[in-house]
Amino acid sequence: MTQQSCDILLSNGYLVTMNDEMHIYPQGSVAISGNKIVGVGETVEIETQFQAETVIDCTGCVISPGLINAHTHAPMTLLRGLADDLRLDVWLYGYIMPVEREFVDQNFCYTGTLLACAEMLRSGVTSFCDMYYNEAEVARATAKAGMRAILGQTILKFPSPDATNYDESIEYCRHFIEDWRDHGLIIPAVAPHAPYTSTPDMLRACVDLAKEFDVPIHIHVAETNLEQENSIAQYELPVVPWLEEQGLFEAKVIAAHCVHLHGREMRAMKTYKAGVAHCPSSNLKLASGVARVQKMINTGLHVGIGTDGAASNNDLDMFEETRLAAFLQKGIFGDPTMLPAKMAWRLATIEGARALHIGDITGSLEVGKRADITIVEVTNIHQMPNFARDPEAIYSQLVYATRSSDVRDVLVDGKILMRERELLTLNETEILDYANRISRRIDAFLIAREGNILSKLLAISADFIPQETFEIQVKVSITDTLNLTSLIEQAGFKMVRPSIRAQYDTYLFFEDSDNERLRFREDEVKDQDGKLRNTFYTMTLMGPANEKEFDNSIMLTRARFTATARQSLRFYREYFRPTREQEVIKHRRRCHINHEQTDFAINLDEVADKQYLEIKCRTWSASDANRKAILISELLEKFGVKTDSQFKIEYLDLA
Amino acid sequence: MTQQSCDILLSNGYLVTMNDEMHIYPQGSVAISGNKIVGVGETVEIETQFQAETVIDCTGCVISPGLINAHTHAPMTLLRGLADDLRLDVWLYGYIMPVEREFVDQNFCYTGTLLACAEMLRSGVTSFCDMYYNEAEVARATAKAGMRAILGQTILKFPSPDATNYDESIEYCRHFIEDWRDHGLIIPAVAPHAPYTSTPDMLRACVDLAKEFDVPIHIHVAETNLEQENSIAQYELPVVPWLEEQGLFEAKVIAAHCVHLHGREMRAMKTYKAGVAHCPSSNLKLASGVARVQKMINTGLHVGIGTDGAASNNDLDMFEETRLAAFLQKGIFGDPTMLPAKMAWRLATIEGARALHIGDITGSLEVGKRADITIVEVTNIHQMPNFARDPEAIYSQLVYATRSSDVRDVLVDGKILMRERELLTLNETEILDYANRISRRIDAFLIAREGNILSKLLAISADFIPQETFEIQVKVSITDTLNLTSLIEQAGFKMVRPSIRAQYDTYLFFEDSDNERLRFREDEVKDQDGKLRNTFYTMTLMGPANEKEFDNSIMLTRARFTATARQSLRFYREYFRPTREQEVIKHRRRCHINHEQTDFAINLDEVADKQYLEIKCRTWSASDANRKAILISELLEKFGVKTDSQFKIEYLDLA
């Protein structure tokens, strides 16, 4: 028999094919010609059949299909460790999004992807599924690395770092697909970020685009319980049925996370042949929960494993991810036979490929498939001994005792991308140089921001209008119970815009901050019967307590910046990390009066069971302040208030 | 100022001291003299103050206290990957214990510990807390490796690989303590395995021994929910209160696992200053659950992190364990701010030391403490970039993005044990040689056992008596409803030992097993009123269905071995993994009769709504079988049963 010549022979390895029969060859070889596998089997047979210029000896190693990272945000690797151990909203709105707004551009996406590819190759990943901005740059970097990828251009209902609206994103995505659809390694995809960041129109446009080019849709689905709750509250439908109504599943869907799917939703997704990307590290780290992976598998869904972005993981280590996936099913659902090592390795390889709709070309070592292969050492000290009695114990060794650092060689599409732990397509020094430069710039940006409460507030308040306002005011302690209406009328004034309010103020104090403090106010406006009419939330950055003092303890105060508070008090507390905080609860009857053509607010306040009269008006200049201080003195006389009961402290100093 | 001379200077590292103030020196140094730390601080200061022969440059590395593995079974590293993805009982009684019975000796414990030490040093561990057999051998190996350890000699209420009873174990433990108590690195300990494997007397003796020598007690506590349930059922007390009653906490306790502690139990343990070893991987893998670590910390307990043994993990990787500990608290208890990286690194170092009652000598880098130090690279591709804005981001980098393979150097007690990833006290080739030899022997043992159902049954049945028994029998189908009493009396016999039974038989079938099968029988014996009197469980290994056939379809069958079934049907199913199984439910009225001085069992059985008459007797030889076949023919005639209704198949063939 004459030998067939091929390009590369991988020989003498412990070969796990991950084909349908799960064939294992403890002494196995793979023959590669061009970008395809042409022979798989026992070493003696393959070596009889094939000869190659390049023969890679795999003694002491497993030859496995390359790992498939089913969900990531490659460029975000540049944000690894930026902010951790924070609640999702603080992490996202407080850190990730402000930094993305400032730094994410084409270069960021290109180099971030190179960094991600370097890390992924080193940990045996051959294919990944991405979702980010400027995805054409992600594609350029992935092609340079030589990896296989499904690359989803993010589309959001609100402005993003690469588009001011979703029409722009969809247009970008169309060009991206047209430019990259014929590339041998890159499959462009449409990535509407999530149901709750989409509109029905936007989703429809995404589905139409995906169908037009027969490319997948990559989307986050049911990542948190809150998402499910909100979907039911808003649409009276769980997430998947709502997506069904939008026609999403007309396209080939890759659904990331799926932590909170109901059984019915799993069955629906199975019908639509949607793939699932399970991201256990990220789901734990952000406290989203644990997906019912074994149940999804039992339902017949194709489930892959993903690292998610390095900003919430904080690495792209598929070995860690696969082990964790197996551990969690057992420990959380109370059955140690769930997601056994063999099945876990299937998820990391062939099932991952199927979840990404590329199971026909990769994910297993079979003749005719692309040569996407990882060679992993299995005789290092932390992996030994091994037990040969059961050939399938190799899966346990791979999943439970092997680490990324054991990966020796990686091939994608028949090309050797890593050989003896040396990356052949990427320059790591250059990549790290860029990564360090960008992290120093982000450091500087955040240090400037963190050192200054106003900047920190501006970073999270797109609609915040930085405008200083000054008030001139006096507070008088009242011993007898006063009636605001009688007080005003007896002094000969007319009550303007009377209102009743309950104000819950929380002051956040900081050390070393020039006496600045933040006030979070929950302002309940009631009608004259005491019924709640409206609630306002405001966040105010205040200057020092006393800017200037006039006669009669009349003060000039400065409320530098006020904006609607869009987040909870808890958010601001965790975001600003005050050194101290104080609460002031105030029941206020307020009206305005006109005195000498000037508007004054008259407040009769009850604070900590005591009554106070407060007179306030806005002011614009020093001479204006002086004039108004005199007017306030006149009002005090008209109201018949003795001046020795006046005091200048603020309510928050009462405690 | 004159420079002080010292032995070793670790310089230019990112120094995390883990002292009470959590001092960090981004450019820091440690000076070591003998086995102690003599200087800690900024590199410029330390280098001004000290000079040393050996200077180790730590640029690009973190200098951290060595990691503390708070719970392991070092020699079990030799059983890594022996059996996985099994339920606890199948894993323990089916695999681990039979293999331990056969293989665990002094040599196993010595070499197994060397293997464990090699792996632990490579992953930055400097101290560990052990529990196993032949602990003096574990001590010898640990001392050779040069690691610090608390070594607990296991004491069990039943026979163990190194003792036939607990008196022997306690005696061994006393000698072990006497021999090793003065060693600089080894702290011997008493290790009653768990509450449920102890008797009160045994625990008392353990506490007395520990107090006599002022050594710790190492014990598993509340690892599973079942343990808590059983404790409450048996003693009307949860585990910790029961241990309190036994006086356990008079000694210094190190409690492993603590997965299912009630708040009150945590508070009690805090009062007694007991340490906790949290083992997240093992608790997940064996489906025990997730310990409330954050709550224990809030209660004021000192919690360390342990890998548990490699047989249930399957590695001794403290980086993996620490990251998992942090992830799990967030993900399972729904709050991403729980167990932040900084606290997780404390658990892995100083809190671990405190949990092991050695916080005064190790766990942090402070002048006067022992030099137990780990130097970890933090500028590898999977760890970059880093953000310098918050010096404490280093903890996030260590916990979330760093791997064991990033550990470069390790020092214990002032001695360099690993330098540039080279182990200086251990010969890994020799250790691996031994590990491979023992795993080949275990393979052979298990292959012999697995290939033979009898051996496999014997491996888990200490009280199993392998004795073949033969029966001669006939079964006759009955169309009219028969009454056993009338049948027997009309034929002129006296009923002996009549009984009513419900028998639930499950047959387990195997391919390629010479027609052997296993029968699991649940045998409910009822009195004449049908009230349940007793239930027996038996496991029977049966030979081929028809051994020999006589006239009138009378058969000789062989029930090779029978024993009381101590485990559940589920256990046997998962342990034996039959290719097929079949259930036969039988309602039986039975009595014995005496015919020709021979005892016959007469069974009137209802199976699948049909009635059968069965006549059976034991037999001992071929000629005896022939004689009894003739007697059965006679009985058939006396009972007036037509021979064409006879059939030779067994009940399990009816389906």
Side-chain angles (χ1 to χ4, degrees):
Chain A
M1 190 182 119
T2 53
Q3 276 191 316
Q4 208 175 318
S5 77
C6 66
D7 296 321
I8 302 172
L9 256 183
L10 310 176
S11 271
N12 300 310
Y14 201 112
L15 174 55
V16 295
T17 64
M18 308 312 281
N19 66 10
D20 285 344
E21 297 77 26
M22 294 295 280
H23 280 143
I24 287 176
Y25 302 96
Q27 190 76 6
S29 287
V30 178
I32 299 160
S33 205
N35 66 352
K36 288 206 175 116
I37 296 169
V38 292
V40 174
E42 289 190 19
T43 296
V44 283
E45 283 182 20
I46 298 297
E47 286 188 346
T48 312
Q49 205 181 337
F50 294 94
Q51 60 173 3
E53 284 264 310
T54 306
V55 178
I56 297 180
D57 180 58
C58 301
T59 303
C61 294
V62 159
I63 304 173
S64 168
L67 301 178
I68 314 270
N69 186 352
H71 178 64
T72 190
H73 309 284
M76 288 184 92
T77 312
L78 286 172
L79 304 181
R80 186 201 319 273
L82 175 74
D84 288 300
D85 302 321
L86 300 171
R87 243 173 281 268
L88 183 64
D89 54 357
V90 180
W91 176 77
L92 190 62
Y93 301 122
Y95 290 88
I96 298 300
M97 282 172 48
V99 168
E100 284 184 335
R101 265 199 300 272
E102 191 73 19
F103 291 96
V104 170
D105 56 16
Q106 296 197 345
N107 201 9
F108 182 98
C109 290
Y110 178 74
T111 320
T113 302
L114 291 182
L115 178 63
C117 287
E119 182 181 355
M120 286 194 277
L121 284 174
R122 289 199 163 282
S123 61
V125 173
T126 52
S127 301
F128 66 98
C129 180
D130 193 66
M131 173 196 286
Y132 207 61
Y133 312 107
N134 300 307
E135 205 67 21
E137 296 304 311
V138 176
R140 275 210 311 129
T142 305
K144 176 174 167 56
M147 292 181 76
R148 191 179 305 287
I150 284 107
L151 303 178
Q153 166 64 27
T154 299
I155 296 164
L156 284 167
K157 70 180 175 190
F158 37 73
S160 65
D162 63 354
T164 55
N165 56 57
Y166 73 74
D167 290 328
E168 239 180 85
S169 299
I170 286 174
E171 200 47 35
Y172 177 99
C173 190
R174 168 180 296 277
H175 287 302
F176 168 56
I177 294 170
E178 285 169 346
D179 289 349
W180 286 91
R181 58 197 293 226
D182 295 325
H183 193 277
L185 293 167
I186 307 297
I187 298 171
V190 188
H193 167 267
Y196 60 93
T197 51
S198 300
T199 65
D201 281 0
M202 185 195 113
L203 279 181
R204 188 67 252 169
C206 288
V207 172
D208 290 342
L209 184 62
K211 285 167 74 181
E212 183 181 341
F213 292 100
D214 189 28
V215 297
I217 280 195
H218 188 29
I219 183 170
H220 295 109
V221 172
E223 181 172 359
T224 66
N225 194 38
L226 187 69
E227 181 183 340
Q228 276 291 15
E229 282 176 6
N230 287 347
S231 178
I232 289 164
Q234 196 176 347
Y235 304 117
E236 297 183 343
L237 280 176
V239 172
V240 171
W242 185 78
L243 289 172
E244 278 181 280
E245 282 206 351
Q246 313 316 313
L248 186 85
F249 298 101
E250 294 167 22
K252 295 182 290 193
V253 170
I254 302 160
H257 301 300
C258 297
V259 181
H260 296 275
L261 288 191
H262 306 138
R264 206 200 76 74
E265 295 181 280
M266 293 180 192
R267 291 191 295 276
M269 284 180 58
K270 149 84 178 141
T271 310
Y272 297 121
K273 298 191 171 68
V276 172
H278 171 50
C279 305
S281 285
S282 172
N283 296 159
L284 287 179
K285 187 153 181 284
L286 298 173
S288 310
V290 178
R292 295 200 157 262
V293 173
Q294 184 67 59
K295 187 172 170 154
M296 290 194 240
I297 295 167
N298 296 349
T299 305
L301 280 166
H302 294 303
V303 182
I305 296 177
T307 59
D308 207 353
S312 66
N313 181 308
N314 294 353
D315 53 32
L316 308 177
D317 185 336
M318 277 292 291
F319 280 85
E320 183 191 327
E321 222 58 42
T322 306
R323 178 170 48 245
L324 184 56
F327 278 1
L328 281 177
Q329 291 302 298
K330 302 169 195 299
I332 304 311
F333 304 115
D335 179 351
T337 68
M338 281 172 116
L339 201 50
K342 181 180 177 180
M343 178 55 76
W345 199 250
R346 281 181 66 82
L347 299 201
T349 55
I350 182 64
E351 286 300 307
R354 287 180 180 148
L356 305 189
H357 309 281
I358 53 174
D360 53 330
I361 59 166
T362 189
S364 59
L365 303 183
E366 299 181 73
V367 170
K369 278 197 165 181
R370 309 297 160 82
D372 296 349
I373 303 174
T374 286
I375 298 164
V376 192
E377 295 168 351
V378 283
T379 54
N380 293 312
I381 200 103
H382 58 275
Q383 303 168 299
M384 296 300 282
N386 57 56
F387 292 93
R389 122 191 111 84
D390 176 6
E392 298 204 338
I394 194 67
Y395 298 117
S396 159
Q397 211 183 356
L398 283 169
V399 173
Y400 299 132
T402 298
R403 303 172 187 155
S404 280
S405 51
D406 299 316
V407 175
R408 194 189 72 180
D409 312 309
V410 176
L411 293 87
V412 176
D413 216 46
K415 289 202 180 50
I416 306 174
L417 304 187
M418 183 165 83
R419 181 78 187 97
E420 298 283 354
R421 296 186 170 76
E422 186 96 21
L423 296 183
L424 306 181
T425 50
L426 297 173
N427 182 330
E428 285 172 289
T429 314
E430 266 179 39
I431 297 168
L432 285 180
D433 274 358
Y434 177 85
N436 280 327
R437 279 203 306 278
I438 188 99
S439 71
R440 290 297 79 81
R441 280 176 53 215
I442 294 174
D443 267 340
F445 167 76
L446 286 177
I447 287 166
R449 188 189 90 167
E450 303 277 308
N452 178 318
I453 298 169
L454 176 59
S455 312
K456 209 168 164 185
L457 193 56
L458 288 173
I460 54 167
S461 316
D463 60 345
F464 200 87
I465 300 153
Q467 186 188 347
E468 299 199 63
T469 63
F470 294 85
E471 279 184 338
I472 187 144
Q473 61 163 322
V474 69
K475 279 194 188 64
V476 184
S477 172
I478 304 290
T479 40
D480 304 324
T481 306
L482 270 186
N483 178 298
L484 186 66
T485 313
S486 343
L487 185 80
I488 300 297
E489 284 174 2
Q490 280 164 17
F493 291 106
K494 186 167 162 257
M495 287 179 83
V496 182
R497 287 178 282 135
S499 66
I500 303 176
R501 282 151 188 260
Q503 291 179 332
Y504 303 88
D505 291 349
T506 303
Y507 290 86
L508 309 182
F509 296 90
F510 304 88
E511 269 167 26
D512 315 321
S513 71
D514 274 339
N515 247 334
E516 283 182 323
R517 62 225 143 125
L518 285 166
R519 184 186 70 199
F520 178 84
R521 169 169 288 180
E522 188 177 341
D523 200 342
E524 293 184 352
V525 182
K526 299 171 179 185
D527 63 20
Q528 295 300 316
D529 307 329
K531 242 169 62 188
L532 188 66
R533 264 206 337 240
N534 212 338
T535 308
F536 297 104
Y537 298 90
T538 51
M539 193 72 187
T540 304
L541 177 64
M542 308 178 84
N546 307 325
E547 284 284 311
K548 188 183 171 192
E549 226 179 293
F550 299 87
D551 290 341
N552 289 334
S553 300
I554 293 165
M555 297 188 309
L556 180 70
T557 65
R558 186 161 66 124
R560 288 177 65 189
F561 306 107
T562 293
T564 300
R566 300 200 182 282
Q567 312 283 353
S568 67
L569 173 59
R570 197 261 312 141
F571 172 91
Y572 294 111
R573 181 183 288 139
E574 295 183 12
Y575 176 65
F576 286 105
R577 298 173 184 253
T579 44
R580 187 169 70 83
E581 62 181 82
Q582 192 180 324
E583 205 182 46
V584 175
I585 300 172
K586 200 162 54 204
H587 292 276
R588 165 168 285 183
R589 289 180 169 267
R590 144 175 290 199
C591 70
H592 289 256
I593 61 169
N594 202 293
H595 174 55
E596 301 286 336
Q597 291 177 317
T598 307
D599 179 71
F600 289 90
I602 312 293
N603 297 318
L604 197 61
D605 293 338
E606 195 184 305
V607 179
D609 290 331
K610 290 202 177 134
Q611 260 201 341
Y612 304 91
L613 176 70
E614 190 184 59
I615 306 173
K616 269 187 178 173
C617 69
R618 293 270 176 103
T619 185
W620 318 108
S621 70
S623 64
D624 182 57
N626 273 321
R627 186 183 73 87
K628 286 174 177 166
I630 293 163
L631 292 178
I632 286 179
S633 285
E634 289 172 15
L635 284 176
L636 283 172
E637 268 177 57
K638 278 181 190 279
F639 290 144
V641 180
K642 290 185 200 107
T643 48
D644 61 349
S645 70
Q646 290 166 32
F647 64 103
K648 59 189 175 181
I649 59 166
E650 293 193 69
Y651 290 137
L652 64 88
D653 298 322
L654 290 176
Chain B
M1 192 181 118
T2 55
Q3 275 191 317
Q4 208 174 316
S5 78
C6 66
D7 296 322
I8 301 171
L9 258 184
L10 311 176
S11 271
N12 300 310
Y14 202 111
L15 174 55
V16 294
T17 64
M18 309 311 280
N19 66 10
D20 286 344
E21 297 77 27
M22 296 294 281
H23 280 143
I24 286 176
Y25 302 96
Q27 189 77 6
S29 286
V30 178
I32 298 161
S33 202
N35 66 352
K36 289 204 174 117
I37 295 170
V38 292
V40 173
E42 289 190 19
T43 295
V44 283
E45 283 181 21
I46 297 296
E47 286 187 346
T48 311
Q49 206 181 335
F50 295 94
Q51 61 173 0
E53 283 264 309
T54 307
V55 178
I56 297 179
D57 180 58
C58 301
T59 303
C61 295
V62 159
I63 304 174
S64 168
L67 301 179
I68 314 270
N69 185 351
H71 178 64
T72 189
H73 309 283
M76 289 184 90
T77 313
L78 285 172
L79 304 181
R80 187 201 318 274
L82 175 74
D84 288 301
D85 301 322
L86 301 171
R87 243 173 281 267
L88 183 63
D89 54 358
V90 179
W91 176 76
L92 190 62
Y93 301 123
Y95 290 88
I96 298 299
M97 281 172 48
V99 168
E100 284 185 336
R101 265 200 299 275
E102 191 74 17
F103 290 97
V104 170
D105 57 15
Q106 297 196 345
N107 201 9
F108 181 99
C109 291
Y110 179 75
T111 321
T113 303
L114 291 181
L115 178 63
C117 287
E119 182 182 356
M120 285 194 278
L121 284 174
R122 289 199 163 282
S123 61
V125 174
T126 53
S127 301
F128 66 98
C129 181
D130 194 66
M131 176 196 285
Y132 208 59
Y133 311 107
N134 301 307
E135 205 68 21
E137 297 304 310
V138 176
R140 275 209 314 130
T142 305
K144 178 173 166 55
M147 292 181 76
R148 192 180 304 287
I150 283 108
L151 303 179
Q153 166 64 27
T154 300
I155 296 167
L156 284 167
K157 71 179 174 189
F158 37 74
S160 65
D162 64 353
T164 56
N165 57 56
Y166 73 74
D167 291 327
E168 240 178 85
S169 299
I170 287 174
E171 201 46 37
Y172 177 98
C173 191
R174 169 180 294 276
H175 287 303
F176 167 57
I177 294 170
E178 284 168 348
D179 291 349
W180 287 90
R181 58 197 293 226
D182 294 326
H183 193 276
L185 293 168
I186 307 297
I187 297 171
V190 189
H193 167 267
Y196 60 92
T197 52
S198 302
T199 66
D201 281 358
M202 187 197 111
L203 279 182
R204 188 67 252 171
C206 288
V207 172
D208 290 342
L209 184 63
K211 285 168 74 182
E212 183 182 341
F213 292 100
D214 189 28
V215 296
I217 280 194
H218 187 30
I219 183 170
H220 296 108
V221 172
E223 181 172 358
T224 66
N225 194 38
L226 187 67
E227 182 184 340
Q228 276 291 14
E229 282 175 5
N230 287 346
S231 179
I232 289 164
Q234 196 175 348
Y235 305 116
E236 297 185 341
L237 281 175
V239 172
V240 171
W242 186 78
L243 289 172
E244 279 180 279
E245 281 205 353
Q246 312 315 314
L248 187 86
F249 297 101
E250 295 166 22
K252 295 182 290 193
V253 170
I254 302 159
H257 300 302
C258 297
V259 181
H260 297 276
L261 288 190
H262 306 138
R264 206 201 76 75
E265 295 181 280
M266 293 180 193
R267 289 190 296 276
M269 284 179 58
K270 148 85 177 141
T271 309
Y272 297 120
K273 299 188 170 69
V276 171
H278 171 49
C279 305
S281 285
S282 170
N283 297 158
L284 286 179
K285 187 153 180 283
L286 298 173
S288 309
V290 179
R292 295 201 157 261
V293 174
Q294 184 66 60
K295 186 171 173 158
M296 290 195 242
I297 295 167
N298 295 349
T299 305
L301 280 166
H302 294 302
V303 182
I305 296 176
T307 59
D308 207 352
S312 67
N313 182 310
N314 294 352
D315 54 32
L316 308 177
D317 185 335
M318 278 291 292
F319 281 85
E320 183 191 327
E321 221 58 40
T322 306
R323 176 170 49 243
L324 184 56
F327 278 1
L328 282 177
Q329 292 301 299
K330 303 168 195 303
I332 304 311
F333 304 114
D335 178 352
T337 69
M338 280 172 118
L339 202 50
K342 181 181 177 180
M343 178 56 75
W345 199 251
R346 281 181 66 83
L347 300 201
T349 56
I350 182 63
E351 287 299 307
R354 287 179 180 147
L356 305 189
H357 309 280
I358 53 173
D360 53 330
I361 59 167
T362 189
S364 59
L365 302 183
E366 299 181 74
V367 171
K369 278 197 165 180
R370 308 299 159 81
D372 297 349
I373 302 174
T374 286
I375 298 164
V376 192
E377 295 168 353
V378 284
T379 53
N380 293 313
I381 199 105
H382 57 276
Q383 302 168 299
M384 296 299 281
N386 57 57
F387 292 92
R389 116 192 116 85
D390 176 6
E392 299 205 338
I394 193 68
Y395 298 117
S396 159
Q397 210 183 355
L398 282 170
V399 173
Y400 299 132
T402 298
R403 303 169 187 158
S404 279
S405 51
D406 299 316
V407 175
R408 194 190 73 180
D409 312 309
V410 176
L411 293 87
V412 177
D413 215 46
K415 290 201 179 50
I416 305 173
L417 304 187
M418 184 165 84
R419 182 80 188 95
E420 298 283 355
R421 295 186 173 78
E422 185 94 22
L423 296 184
L424 305 181
T425 51
L426 297 174
N427 182 328
E428 286 171 290
T429 313
E430 267 178 38
I431 297 168
L432 285 180
D433 274 357
Y434 177 86
N436 280 327
R437 279 204 306 278
I438 188 97
S439 71
R440 290 296 81 80
R441 281 175 52 215
I442 294 173
D443 268 340
F445 167 76
L446 286 177
I447 287 165
R449 188 190 89 168
E450 303 277 306
N452 177 318
I453 297 168
L454 177 58
S455 313
K456 209 169 165 185
L457 194 54
L458 288 174
I460 54 164
S461 316
D463 61 344
F464 200 86
I465 300 155
Q467 187 190 346
E468 297 200 62
T469 63
F470 293 86
E471 280 186 335
I472 187 143
Q473 61 162 322
V474 69
K475 278 194 189 65
V476 183
S477 172
I478 304 289
T479 39
D480 304 325
T481 306
L482 268 187
N483 177 297
L484 185 64
T485 314
S486 343
L487 185 79
I488 299 297
E489 285 172 1
Q490 281 165 18
F493 292 106
K494 186 167 161 255
M495 288 178 85
V496 181
R497 288 178 283 135
S499 66
I500 304 177
R501 284 150 187 260
Q503 293 179 331
Y504 303 89
D505 292 348
T506 304
Y507 291 86
L508 309 181
F509 297 90
F510 303 89
E511 268 167 25
D512 314 321
S513 72
D514 274 339
N515 246 334
E516 283 182 322
R517 61 221 146 127
L518 285 166
R519 185 187 69 200
F520 178 83
R521 169 169 288 179
E522 188 177 340
D523 199 341
E524 294 184 350
V525 182
K526 299 172 179 184
D527 64 21
Q528 296 299 317
D529 306 330
K531 241 165 68 187
L532 189 63
R533 263 203 339 237
N534 211 339
T535 308
F536 299 102
Y537 297 90
T538 51
M539 193 73 188
T540 303
L541 176 64
M542 308 177 82
N546 307 325
E547 284 283 312
K548 190 184 170 191
E549 227 180 292
F550 299 86
D551 288 343
N552 288 333
S553 299
I554 293 165
M555 297 190 307
L556 181 69
T557 65
R558 187 162 65 124
R560 288 176 65 191
F561 306 105
T562 293
T564 300
R566 300 198 183 283
Q567 312 282 356
S568 67
L569 173 60
R570 196 261 313 139
F571 172 91
Y572 294 111
R573 181 183 288 138
E574 296 184 11
Y575 176 65
F576 286 105
R577 299 172 183 256
T579 43
R580 185 170 71 82
E581 63 181 83
Q582 191 180 324
E583 205 181 47
V584 175
I585 300 173
K586 199 160 56 203
H587 292 276
R588 166 168 285 184
R589 291 181 167 263
R590 146 175 287 200
C591 69
H592 289 257
I593 60 168
N594 201 294
H595 174 54
E596 298 288 336
Q597 290 175 318
T598 307
D599 179 70
F600 288 90
I602 312 294
N603 298 320
L604 197 62
D605 294 337
E606 195 183 307
V607 179
D609 290 331
K610 290 203 176 134
Q611 259 201 340
Y612 303 93
L613 176 70
E614 188 183 59
I615 306 174
K616 266 186 179 175
C617 69
R618 295 270 176 102
T619 187
W620 318 108
S621 70
S623 65
D624 183 57
N626 272 319
R627 187 182 74 84
K628 285 173 176 165
I630 294 164
L631 291 179
I632 287 179
S633 286
E634 288 173 16
L635 284 176
L636 284 173
E637 268 178 55
K638 277 180 190 280
F639 291 143
V641 182
K642 291 189 199 102
T643 48
D644 63 345
S645 69
Q646 292 163 30
F647 66 103
K648 58 190 173 181
I649 58 165
E650 294 192 69
Y651 291 137
L652 64 87
D653 298 320
L654 291 176

